[in-house]
Amino acid sequence: MTKFAEIAVALPIDKLFQYKIPEELYNDVKIGVRVFVPFGPRTIVGYVVGLNDSAEVANIKEIKNVIDKQPVVNDEMLSLAKWISENYFCSWGEAIGATIPGGIKKGKESIGSRIKIPEVRPEDLIMTDPHVLMEEQKWALDEIVRSIDKNEFRTYLLHGITASGKTEVYLQAIDIVLQKGKQAIMLVPEIALTPQTIERFVSRFGHRVAVIHSHLTPAKRFLEWKKIKDGKADIVVGARSAIFSPMSKLGLIIIDEEHETTYKQDDVPRYNARDVAEERARMNKCPLILGSATPSLESYYKAKHGDYKLIRITKRIEDRLLPKMKIVDMRMDLATRKKITIFSKVLLDAMEKALNAGKQVIIFLNRRGFSTFINCKKCGLVIKCKRCDVTMVYHYEEKRLVCHYCNYHQAPPDICPKCKSGYIKYFGLGTEKVESELSRMFPNIKIARMDSDTTVKKGSHDRILEKFRSGAVNVLVGTQMIAKGLDFPQVTLVGVVSADVTLNIPDFRSSERTFNLLTQVGGRAGRGEDGGEVIVQTYAPDHYSILAAAKHDYDKFYNEEIISRKELLFPPFTNLVKVVVRARNDDLTRQAAQALAEALRAKDRDAMIAGPAPAPMARVRGYYRYNILLKGRDKKAMCALLKKVLSVHRKPHGVLVAVDVDPISM
Ligand code: ADP
Ligand code: ZN
Ligand code: ZN
């Protein structure tokens, strides 16, 4: 008779707890159900992960109540959660919590949605037939079907430029999986979960499609989850958390835009859905397709070394042309016009021409609030850390430049150390300024701006795009929010105000981001009959990420970038683990971070440990934050070192420590 239960709790405690099962609950306590248990002075929710006949401790407490009649997590999800806890530095209970919808965890109402996802009713359904595949699409599908037929785990990297027909390959692969009586999950970045994407799936597969995204209310989310759990959906299309869809006959997982950083969760458990998908595909003996026009360096490296099978689609459907990309050297613009301006003459002329012809224009500036770098407008120099090759960040309070990886400091120069000019300036331009400059210069045109400031209100996102689509607005100014997926045939010109904003964010992935963003943003131009042009302004016109993007040449970019990753020992040659120390007092935080870094170094003299250094957002919601960065080839060994040190290390009262494995930013 099982009388005791092993309980995992959703707290950062790396162990299980044993509780006694009261007689009246003998039949109800099963593996995978949630229970209420006394925990110190509180009552909390726990997950039953094991049952025993005997107790290991005396004075054992009793389970208070059972919440679920049926298990909310099955064996597969329990194993997957276990894997997450071992790889992303969290407890098993915290990881289990991530696999079930938030609505049933707490039952709280969520914040309202910004993007309205239409509900498809049966009478709206117009079914569409599959396309006859082009040659390269067919090769891609044949490869994947081989793994489907063999029930084999294998990861495919599908590298194809935008509009090369990747999604059509996904749809037909899913169709084959369904014919075999199996199911499929397709992850897309949140921002790509547009009504068009969903309609494309629903019009091919009808009501066997479930959709999971963060704008669902908890109740809706729960209904979709239940539909999947009850076997009433065979295809799930969703954002990151959809990787935990409780399907019992999984036969295929697809991750579109696999390079997207939104697949990484920035809260506990800090998993990357791309890696979780790989583990889940392995457990289910099924293929995983990673698709992208600009694969992550990590994935392309694995494909080149045979860990993944690389499939390429090199041609666009109907041989549609890629837009022409022109690079404008802002140093030259300054030299000829003798003043620092937001818009070069080239971009101004092109805008005038497009607007006079009645066309639409997109102006892009990815200005992130905290990345203030110093840039010489004459020669283009940006000051970088000697040790890390990442951009130094200007800190107002101390009036110093700081490296956010290793904490190297230096005074900001008054004249450029390279060309000795006095045109060395802080880069402080944002979309709001761009908008006001534009309306001053073009008083008769209608301008709309889309960034996180203008889309706070529910529905505002849709309203802005609708105005642009209808032609009521001539110029759309925006951040990366407008880089993806938008399809406006009247747009013939895309202007990138400064490629340098992304290039100079203090991050080792800044070149990769720049290449991705330019490629995506460029894809917004010339989608109609009239073709299009992309104009990219920069003070670094010779940078390989900009040159390669202008030539639409991913391999050229990869071949340069991989050399610098290797030299500086960044991923894919190492794994990173970021330790964030935070507290309400600056001195206290810095000292605590220093003490922790020293304790780590004392335990392992060979470990590569950098910092502490102030975080890029050094102060968030009243907390000061310092980062310690561990670099190494063995992720598990680094986690083990951290666990060991953190379990004995005494930190001052009020100091909090968070650990992020494979962080996507500092
Ligand atoms: P990607 O996912 O690579 O951006 P899509 O699959 O969305 O590309 O294809 C781009 C467009 O071409 C879509 O409108 C799609 O319906 C169409 N398309 C895809 N494959 C074919 C094909 N074999 N023949 C004709 N049209 C196709
Ligand atoms: Zn200079
Ligand atoms: Zn440094």
Side-chain angles (χ1 to χ4, degrees), residues 384-392 402-409 570 610 613:
K384 294 192 165 193
C385 173
K386 295 182 181 83
R387 292 184 272 194
C388 312
D389 199 41
V390 301
T391 308
M392 306 271 283
V402 180
C403 169
H404 284 163
Y405 278 32
C406 73
N407 204 30
Y408 177 75
H409 280 60
F570 279 124

Side-chain angles (χ1 to χ4, degrees), residues 376 378-381 416 418-421:
C376 172
K378 182 138 183 256
C379 77
L381 180 87
C416 172
K418 193 168 151 211
C419 75
K420 314 290 178 216
S421 87

Side-chain angles (χ1 to χ4, degrees), residues 159-179:
H159 178 208
I161 50 179
T162 47
S164 60
K166 295 186 294 296
T167 309
E168 187 62 33
V169 173
Y170 305 150
L171 290 168
Q172 298 200 19
I174 291 172
D175 199 29
I176 288 166
V177 167
L178 297 193
Q179 284 169 30

Side-chain angles (χ1 to χ4, degrees), residues 562-579:
I562 202 78
I563 295 170
S564 101
R565 297 282 180 95
K566 190 167 187 177
E567 262 169 23
L568 295 159
L569 292 174
F570 279 124
F573 298 95
T574 52
N575 281 107
L576 304 181
V577 178
K578 177 176 75 168
V579 183

Side-chain angles (χ1 to χ4, degrees), residues 111-116 217 455-463:
I111 37 171
S113 67
R114 282 188 206 169
I115 301 168
K116 221 172 104 228
T217 62
T455 51
V456 176
K457 271 228 228 77
K458 186 171 167 168
S460 51
H461 184 274
D462 283 345
R463 266 198 298 280

Side-chain angles (χ1 to χ4, degrees), residues 472-526:
V473 159
N474 313 98
V475 179
L476 181 64
V477 177
T479 56
Q480 62 185 352
M481 267 189 183
I482 60 170
K484 244 165 285 178
L486 304 186
D487 191 358
F488 298 112
Q490 289 304 310
V491 174
T492 56
L493 174 67
V494 170
V496 178
V497 174
S498 167
D500 309 356
V501 170
T502 315
L503 196 56
N504 292 320
I505 54 173
D507 193 307
F508 76 90
R509 285 195 179 89
S510 59
S511 301
E512 185 175 355
R513 293 247 172 89
T514 305
F515 180 81
N516 290 350
L517 264 177
L518 290 180
T519 303
Q520 276 161 9
V521 119
R524 301 311 116 222

Side-chain angles (χ1 to χ4, degrees), residues 14-235:
D14 197 19
K15 64 184 248 195
L16 300 178
F17 296 90
Q18 227 185 15
Y19 285 89
K20 191 169 187 297
I21 307 172
E23 243 181 87
E24 68 274 16
L25 296 180
Y26 274 4
N27 290 327
D28 301 331
V29 175
K30 297 171 229 169
I31 289 181
V33 299
R34 292 169 305 157
V35 291
F36 280 121
V37 290
F39 198 85
R42 296 183 291 162
T43 295
I44 63 169
V45 174
Y47 306 94
V48 178
V49 297
L51 300 167
N52 321 102
D53 299 335
S54 57
E56 279 152 22
V57 287
N59 269 338
I60 194 161
K61 286 185 191 157
E62 279 196 349
I63 288 174
K64 284 196 167 166
N65 226 327
V66 180
I67 300 172
D68 311 298
K69 287 228 180 321
Q70 298 292 325
V72 286
V73 276
N74 60 17
D75 287 350
E76 189 196 345
M77 284 303 145
L78 285 175
S79 312
L80 197 62
K82 184 100 208 207
W83 181 88
I84 289 173
S85 73
E86 284 161 1
N87 283 275
Y88 290 103
F89 211 88
C90 64
S91 73
W92 195 5
E94 287 172 311
I96 294 170
T99 71
I100 58 177
I104 64 170
K105 257 185 304 188
K106 296 217 184 74
K108 279 192 197 146
E109 275 300 315
S110 82
I111 37 171
S113 67
R114 282 188 206 169
I115 301 168
K116 221 172 104 228
I117 305 275
E119 276 194 59
V120 185
R121 291 182 309 275
E123 59 267 32
D124 297 340
L125 262 187
I126 302 165
M127 303 303 278
T128 54
D129 288 330
H131 289 288
V132 177
L133 294 183
M134 312 285 282
E135 193 172 37
E136 288 179 311
Q137 285 177 307
K138 191 158 172 5
W139 289 337
L141 184 65
D142 286 350
E143 278 276 2
I144 295 157
V145 168
R146 230 167 285 156
S147 289
I148 294 173
D149 283 341
K150 282 196 277 187
N151 295 324
E152 148 187 90
F153 161 63
R154 186 155 192 198
T155 304
Y156 291 92
L157 179 61
L158 181 55
H159 178 208
I161 50 179
T162 47
S164 60
K166 295 186 294 296
T167 309
E168 187 62 33
V169 173
Y170 305 150
L171 290 168
Q172 298 200 19
I174 291 172
D175 199 29
I176 288 166
V177 167
L178 297 193
Q179 284 169 30
K180 292 188 171 296
K182 293 203 171 170
Q183 301 164 319
I185 296 175
M186 159 122 169
L187 299 191
V188 297
E190 185 76 52
I191 195 147
L193 256 180
T194 57
Q196 291 95 302
T197 312
I198 295 164
E199 251 170 56
R200 216 165 152 190
F201 274 78
V202 174
S203 70
R204 198 66 71 83
F205 301 112
H207 293 287
R208 306 296 296 179
V209 179
V211 180
I212 299 223
H213 57 84
S214 67
H215 302 292
L216 293 176
T217 62
K220 266 278 168 55
R221 184 178 274 262
F222 174 70
L223 284 178
E224 290 296 280
W225 184 80
K226 191 85 171 47
K227 179 173 161 187
I228 302 162
K229 200 168 164 62
D230 294 345
K232 292 184 182 135
D234 297 318
I235 304 153

